[in-house]
Amino acid sequence: MSKPYILVLYYSRQGGTLQLAQQIARGIESEGFEARLRTVPAVSATCEATSSDIPDSGAPYCSKEDLRNCAGLALGSPTRFGNMAAPLKYFIDQSSDLWLNGDLIDKPACVFTSSASLHGGQESTLLSMMLPLLHQGMVLLGVPYSQNELSTTQTGGTPYGASHLGGEEGRSLSEDEGQIAKAQGQRLAKHAIKLLAK
């Protein structure tokens, strides 16, 4: 049997969601767990368009087996009109066989997002990403207010999940955003360890 891992599945266009994914992965790995970073290909408006099975750079594309066999899941997307981005939704929509088999039941999960504007729909995006995970029977984890940066952040960060305010210029994560994301990864790993021990 392969070593247990937590899947950090994200879609990112400007890099903000990727930065959060990397911090969440650092938090997971600080707890002794493998973090498996995966992304999804863009969706094309042209029906005949296909993309390579391997991206030119960055994380590999996620397979359904990556999702099926994970010990936990961190799911991230930029905001798109208060919802998750279409490429991530397209991938998740194809997981009904995992739902039918109960493959993800009781596995811990969390969500994260980024937006260009301060009120860009971060919380509704996080909530929208929770819905398919609830259908899959996953155990959702947020960010508790015991995480000090959640009360001091002037940029991103919500109790529903880590978030990033990228602005028009696509700025890097603030220190608070990075700490919240790392803490979320640590919390996810701790719960995955508890569930694996049962």
Side-chain angles (χ1 to χ4, degrees):
M1 185 174 155
S2 64
K3 183 180 174 187
Y5 62 88
I6 293 177
L7 179 62
V8 182
L9 175 57
Y10 70 93
Y11 179 72
S12 186
R13 288 295 296 254
Q14 306 300 321
T17 310
L18 168 59
Q19 290 176 57
L20 286 171
Q22 291 167 334
Q23 286 300 317
I24 288 170
R26 284 187 183 101
I28 291 166
E29 291 174 346
S30 75
E31 297 297 323
F33 236 106
E34 177 191 345
R36 187 172 291 184
L37 281 165
R38 293 291 184 266
T39 190
V40 295
V43 174
S44 173
T46 306
C47 294
E48 294 80 23
T50 60
S51 41
S52 171
D53 289 340
I54 301 170
D56 293 334
S57 63
Y61 291 138
C62 190
S63 71
K64 238 192 291 189
E65 290 308 304
D66 288 324
L67 183 56
R68 181 188 321 273
N69 297 317
C70 71
L73 171 67
L75 186 67
S77 172
T79 62
R80 292 293 183 265
F81 301 104
N83 207 331
M84 75 176 95
L88 193 61
K89 178 80 164 63
Y90 181 77
F91 179 83
I92 296 295
D93 282 349
Q94 296 179 63
S95 66
S96 53
D97 57 328
L98 305 185
W99 169 71
L100 286 168
N101 293 331
D103 291 323
L104 300 176
I105 290 174
D106 290 335
K107 293 182 180 182
C110 66
V111 292
F112 58 99
T113 191
S114 62
S115 65
S117 61
L118 182 58
H119 300 288
Q122 288 185 355
E123 291 182 346
S124 62
T125 298
L126 294 168
L127 292 168
S128 78
M129 287 192 293
M130 290 178 183
L131 298 176
L133 305 183
L134 288 168
H135 275 264
Q136 292 281 6
M138 300 190 87
V139 179
L140 292 176
L141 301 169
V143 179
Y145 275 97
S146 57
Q147 186 64 41
N148 293 334
E149 292 84 359
L150 200 59
S151 297
T152 61
T153 182
Q154 296 296 303
T155 52
T158 80
Y160 308 111
S163 67
H164 168 59
L165 174 60
E168 294 293 322
E169 67 279 10
R171 63 181 160 254
S172 296
L173 297 184
S174 71
E175 188 174 332
D176 285 344
E177 290 170 336
Q179 286 300 317
I180 291 167
K182 186 176 177 187
Q184 187 171 12
Q186 290 171 320
R187 187 168 192 231
L188 181 60
K190 287 175 183 175
H191 281 269
I193 290 165
K194 286 178 186 174
L195 289 171
L196 284 174
K198 289 186 177 184

